[in-house]
């Protein structure tokens, strides 16, 4: 070729076998090593120094492709740039991009890892992991979060939106959080395709329209005395746990996880720490005489746990209280339902403000501003309420028909504690 350019041919490249360098022209060489490995190199000078840039082996890069790479390198040099430095920067940029192209499963795992310390218990973490691996991973788990869009989110949600509405709603929220986290980390851009307001709410039926509200079966409050009378006759630690649950209107987990360090017999108070509460806030529970009597009988069973289980250093199983209900032929009830029984009684049979009942149930009362200024949990007033509740539980109420014949509501015998607070119970 003219001027010594493109001296090599494909046939000549194939036939050459002697180690050395064979020029094609304009800095492109065929290099054959002592091991007879053939590759392409581009020779050039930069800042007075000789440099060599590998372009690939001949079994991968053809002669024409090598010439094209050499031409690009010469253009780079003409532009005042070092082709090796440009290529190295491109390699680094590609690696960074690959590292930033995390898939959804990896982002979900990193999100859970970064947030688990703020969650109340290990169960919450397991729920996140299980729900995402079951419903999300099969569809988009291995996809880069950059590629996840609205159709892919709908692919996850639509199959379960009408049949498992509550689960689907939680999954949508968890997907939204993971994708939001990924955006903050720089792994994706644009709007969050799992967001509800102004987006998915226009594409999916509202959950409230689909799911049927299922209330925990609750004992009518007029039957509490008769039920409690039978409960006292039941033997076993499960029956005592159920008694305390009813008297304190606590959740099952709060009772079964109770520890002796939380109980102050002298001050007559049980303090449940934040990590064991659903709302993550400390909850003080006034202990009335009936509750204290139960606790005193349990002292000595275990040095730490109030309700120890059969296994060493394990709390009583949640099934223990359900077993008591079945033994009493009350499988129609749930333990959680007794909180509703208490709430109905407080609303129908007393004149206490509803805030006291809600605080006794450890519910959040009022808006954020009101809570910011509320400094008291109204503990002493709640003690009076719980004393009246214990008194109600201790009395077997007459049948409804007999009450109607008598011409009025059954009257609650008010305790001394309640009298000191003022007459609260409805006559």
């Amino acid at each position: 070729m003219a001027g010594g350019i493109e001296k090599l041919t494909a046939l000549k490249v194939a036939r050459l076998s002697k180690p050395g360098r064979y020029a094609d022209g304009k800095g492109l060489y065929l290099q054959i090593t002592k091991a007879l490995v053939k590759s392409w190199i581009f020779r050039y000078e930069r800042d007075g120094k000789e440099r060599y840039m590998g372009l690939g082996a001949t079994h991968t890069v053809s002669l024409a492709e090598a010439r094209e790479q050499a031409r690009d390198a010469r253009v780079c040099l003409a532009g005042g740039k070092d082709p090796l430095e440009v290529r190295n920067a491109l390699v680094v940029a590609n690696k960074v991009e690959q590292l930033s192209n995390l898939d959804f499963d990896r982002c979900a795992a990193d999100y859970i890892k970064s947030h688990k310390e703020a969650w109340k218990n290990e169960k919450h973490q397991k729920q996140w992991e299980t729900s995402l691996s079951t419903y999300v991973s099969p569809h988009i788990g291995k996809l880069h979060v950059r590629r996840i869009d609205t159709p892919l989110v709908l692919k996850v949600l639509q199959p379960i939106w009408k049949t498992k509405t509550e689960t689907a709603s939680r999954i949508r929220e968890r997907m939204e959080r993971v994708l939001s986290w990924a955006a903050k980390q720089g792994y994706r851009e644009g709007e969050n395709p799992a967001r509800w307001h102004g987006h998915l709410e226009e594409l999916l039926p509202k959950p409230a329209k689909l799911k049927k509200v299922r209330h925990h079966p609750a004992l009518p409050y007029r039957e509490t005395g008769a039920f409690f009378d039978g409960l006292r006759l039941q033997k076993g630690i499960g029956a005592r746990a159920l008694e305390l649950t009813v008297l304190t209107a606590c959740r099952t987990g709060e009772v079964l996880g109770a520890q002796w360090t939380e109980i102050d017999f002298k001050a007559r108070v049980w303090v449940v720490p934040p990590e064991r509460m659903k709302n993550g806030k400390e909850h003080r529970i006034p202990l009335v005489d009936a509750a204290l009597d139960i606790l005193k009988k349990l002292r000595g069973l275990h040095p730490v746990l109030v309700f120890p289980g059969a296994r060493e250093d394990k709390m009583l199983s949640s099934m223990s209280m359900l077993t008591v209900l079945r033994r009493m032929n009350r499988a129609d009830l749930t333990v959680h339902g007794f909180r509703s029984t208490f709430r109905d009684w407080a609303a129908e049979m007393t004149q206490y403000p509803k805030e006291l009942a809600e605080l006794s149930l450890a519910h959040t009362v009022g808006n954020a501003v009101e809570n910011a200024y509320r400094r008291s949990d109204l503990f002493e007033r709640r003690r009076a309420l719980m004393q009246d509740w214990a008194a109600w539980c201790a009395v077997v109420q007459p049948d409804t028909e007999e009450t109607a014949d008598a011409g009025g509501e059954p009257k609650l015998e008010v305790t001394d504690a309640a009298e000191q607070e003022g007459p609260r119970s409805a006559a």
Side-chain angles (χ1 to χ4, degrees):
M1 294 293 177
I5 300 177
E6 298 185 354
K7 298 176 182 179
L8 300 174
T9 64
L11 181 61
K12 188 174 182 179
V13 170
R15 288 180 174 176
L16 286 171
S17 59
K18 185 178 180 180
R21 287 181 187 156
Y22 301 88
D24 182 59
K26 293 290 184 178
L28 178 62
Y29 289 83
L30 169 68
Q31 178 175 265
I32 303 177
T33 66
K34 291 181 180 179
L36 302 183
V37 176
K38 298 179 181 180
S39 63
W40 302 106
I41 59 173
F42 176 70
R43 177 191 172 280
Y44 66 99
E45 287 188 3
R46 180 74 173 170
D47 298 329
K49 296 180 181 178
E50 188 179 49
R51 305 197 73 178
Y52 291 89
M53 178 178 170
L55 304 180
T58 57
H59 59 70
T60 302
V61 180
S62 68
L63 174 59
E65 290 170 337
R67 285 170 176 168
E68 183 64 23
Q69 287 192 53
R71 189 193 72 81
D72 290 342
R74 290 194 296 270
V75 170
C76 191
L77 284 167
K81 298 178 181 178
D82 188 320
L84 260 178
E85 291 178 359
V86 171
R87 187 173 69 176
N88 289 340
L90 183 62
V91 170
V92 171
N94 286 336
K95 287 183 178 180
V96 171
E97 183 178 356
Q98 287 298 317
L99 289 174
S100 69
N101 282 336
L102 296 187
D103 60 36
F104 183 87
D105 282 349
R106 173 64 185 278
C107 287
D110 287 350
Y111 176 90
I112 292 171
K113 183 178 179 181
S114 64
H115 286 76
K116 66 180 182 179
E117 298 299 330
W119 291 338
K120 296 186 293 294
N121 51 52
E122 204 171 302
K123 182 180 178 181
H124 193 62
Q125 177 182 341
K126 294 292 183 185
Q127 289 172 339
W128 264 76
E129 293 171 342
T130 301
S131 64
L132 293 179
S133 64
T134 302
Y135 296 104
V136 182
S137 294
H139 297 287
I140 63 172
K142 298 307 176 185
L143 292 180
H144 291 167
V145 287
R146 292 185 189 278
R147 294 180 52 197
I148 296 175
D149 55 12
T150 301
L152 288 171
V153 171
L154 290 174
K155 185 178 180 181
V156 173
L157 298 176
Q158 284 178 327
I160 59 173
W161 192 256
K162 294 182 180 179
T163 57
K164 300 178 180 178
T165 306
E166 187 172 349
T167 298
S169 296
R170 290 176 180 172
I171 289 169
R172 184 209 62 76
E173 182 182 353
R174 288 167 184 172
M175 290 175 65
E176 182 181 10
R177 291 188 181 184
V178 171
L179 293 175
S180 177
W181 176 89
K184 296 297 183 183
Q185 296 290 333
Y187 300 142
R188 61 170 286 117
E189 301 85 24
E191 295 289 343
N192 193 320
R195 71 190 186 281
W196 178 253
H197 295 296
H199 186 54
L200 291 182
E201 67 175 343
E202 307 297 339
L203 303 173
L204 295 169
K206 289 180 172 56
K209 300 290 185 180
L210 295 174
K211 66 181 181 180
K212 296 179 180 178
V213 178
R214 295 177 58 191
H215 297 289
H216 292 277
L219 183 74
Y221 63 84
R222 294 188 187 280
E223 299 177 19
T224 310
F227 173 84
F228 216 72
D229 205 35
L231 178 58
R232 289 194 188 94
L233 299 178
Q234 296 295 316
K235 295 181 180 180
I237 192 171
R240 304 294 76 78
L242 183 55
E243 272 190 89
L244 189 66
T245 301
V246 175
L247 287 170
T248 58
C250 285
R251 298 180 179 88
T252 301
E254 294 160 10
V255 172
L256 296 181
Q259 299 186 13
W260 290 116
T261 54
E262 300 170 2
I263 310 295
D264 188 334
F265 284 94
K266 185 176 180 181
R268 299 165 65 88
V269 60
W270 169 22
V271 182
V272 185
E275 58 270 20
R276 290 211 306 107
M277 292 300 300
K278 184 177 181 179
N279 60 9
K281 298 179 181 178
E282 179 184 277
H283 182 46
R284 295 198 302 163
I285 302 164
L287 295 173
V288 299
D289 291 340
L292 287 169
D293 289 343
I294 295 169
L295 291 169
K296 288 174 182 177
K297 293 174 183 177
L298 296 171
R299 282 195 292 190
L301 291 180
H302 193 275
V304 177
L305 299 172
V306 176
F307 296 102
R311 295 183 180 180
E312 185 178 0
D313 294 331
K314 295 291 183 181
M315 66 183 187
L316 193 67
S317 167
S318 59
M319 287 300 297
S320 59
M321 289 194 273
L322 289 175
T323 301
V324 174
L325 289 174
R326 291 175 186 149
R327 202 161 62 222
M328 297 174 67
N329 296 319
R330 294 311 305 260
D332 58 313
L333 302 176
T334 65
V335 178
H336 194 86
F338 285 101
R339 285 166 59 83
S340 295
T341 302
F342 165 77
R343 187 65 185 88
D344 292 343
W345 165 84
E348 295 285 344
M349 298 302 296
T350 80
Q351 297 174 6
Y352 289 99
K354 67 177 183 179
E355 288 79 7
L356 286 184
E358 292 299 312
L359 287 171
S360 297
L361 292 167
H363 287 165
T364 300
V365 178
N367 56 39
V369 175
E370 290 172 334
N371 289 325
Y373 284 94
R374 182 179 287 112
R375 294 292 182 265
S376 172
D377 60 0
L378 307 179
F379 182 77
E380 291 305 326
R381 297 184 69 188
R382 287 193 291 116
R383 183 185 291 281
L385 171 63
M386 301 313 292
Q387 186 63 57
D388 283 356
W389 169 239
W392 177 267
C393 293
V395 176
V396 177
Q397 302 299 323
D399 293 337
T400 305
E401 291 183 358
E402 294 177 359
T403 302
D405 292 339
E409 296 278 357
K411 293 184 179 180
L412 175 66
E413 295 182 9
V414 184
T415 62
D416 291 340
E419 289 175 341
Q420 293 172 3
E421 178 69 19
R424 295 284 185 182
S425 301

